[in-house]
Amino acid sequence: MASGRVCGGFIGLLALFAYIDAASQTVNQELSDIFNELWKLDVNRFKAGTDYRISLQGKAGYIPSGSTTATDHASSPLFSYVNENKLKSITTYARFMKLLDNYERATGVAEKVTSEEVTENNAFLDAILETAVMKRAHQYLVKKGKSQSSLRPFKSQLYYMWFRLYHRERKGGEDSSGFEHVFVGETKFGNEIMGLHNWVQFYLQEKQHLLDYKGYKARHNDMPDEDDHVLNVQFSWHGLVKPVGSTFIGVSPEFEMAIFTILFLTSTEKTTIAVVNMAEYQLEMVVHRHGRSIGTSYPKLLSSNSRHV
């Protein structure tokens, strides 16, 4: 009798977990719709096989968080080719790349923002605000009552969200920002990689032999293709290992900033997770807030090549 109750309780727990898992996979249709609009407007997205080529190689193995060693399942870099002339000739990319060397890598080390860096931040925001992607995102946020219709307060909103410095570590000065964490990457306690979810930074760090791609991560035999625009990857950076990191591939910086700005501003949760169907991908979009600024944001690939349909 007792064993029957235990068995029943166990089955009940399994059912509960299955329900929670199913509930967590409910697709947010409204966000899916606006993100697909932005996807179609992203004319600056690089084309796989033409503007860049990637080499997926092997599937990465499991390593525990905090480990500094990983078996390398990829003897070559992830990016075998990127059209650098195109990177430099598109204003949003060119201004974006100027920001990548403006930060101290280690948390706990206070950032010193020069007037030149403030000018670079503003020039980047001016460039993305001129794109169809960011104009549509702004329009959407105004309609939702989350932003003002005037461009100046919206730009200020973006600056505060992405570039305002804050304390990620209690010791020392203001050592981090949303932009640094998400697009540039940082290290914690000298033993952990945080952030670094941007493909351009990934490529540039690979090119300088500071980052070593270890292989892709995939769920349920959902094998990625070399023309995929979202990947889960494992890599080392400055001698540290990231067991799994997720990144868009080829998308423009304005596209990433637009979707994560929308996700951030349309929620008040400390951590916002939304499942969306975008293009041929099913993604778990994650934003964690640090006050009124971005703490982190990234896409987590659930399924690609429309396998979820």
Side-chain angles (χ1 to χ4, degrees), residues 35 103 121-122 124-125 128-129 134 137-138 141 146-148 151-168 176-183 186 253-269 272 286-297:
F35 289 171
Y103 297 94
N121 293 342
N122 279 304
F124 170 66
L125 289 179
I128 67 172
L129 284 167
M134 195 54 85
H138 181 212
L141 289 165
K146 302 300 181 182
S147 294
Q148 295 181 39
L151 216 53
R152 182 174 290 181
F154 181 52
K155 181 183 171 184
S156 297
Q157 200 175 15
L158 290 173
Y159 199 105
Y160 195 92
M161 285 170 54
W162 288 101
F163 293 107
R164 179 185 74 90
L165 293 179
Y166 51 71
H167 290 87
R168 200 174 282 274
S176 188
S177 70
F179 184 89
E180 177 189 8
H181 183 93
V182 174
F183 292 98
E186 47 193 352
E254 58 265 29
F255 175 81
E256 290 191 73
M257 291 199 82
I259 59 174
F260 290 121
T261 294
I262 286 174
L263 196 60
F264 180 85
L265 290 176
T266 54
S267 172
T268 56
E269 299 293 325
T272 302
V286 181
V287 165
H288 184 77
R289 64 181 59 241
H290 197 291
R292 290 191 294 123
S293 299
I294 298 263
T296 188
S297 60

Side-chain angles (χ1 to χ4, degrees), residues 112-138:
K112 296 180 178 66
V113 182
T114 66
S115 57
E116 181 186 359
E117 288 170 354
V118 171
T119 300
E120 289 176 352
N121 293 342
N122 279 304
F124 170 66
L125 289 179
D126 288 339
I128 67 172
L129 284 167
E130 290 179 10
T131 65
V133 169
M134 195 54 85
K135 284 178 179 176
R136 179 66 186 100
H138 181 212

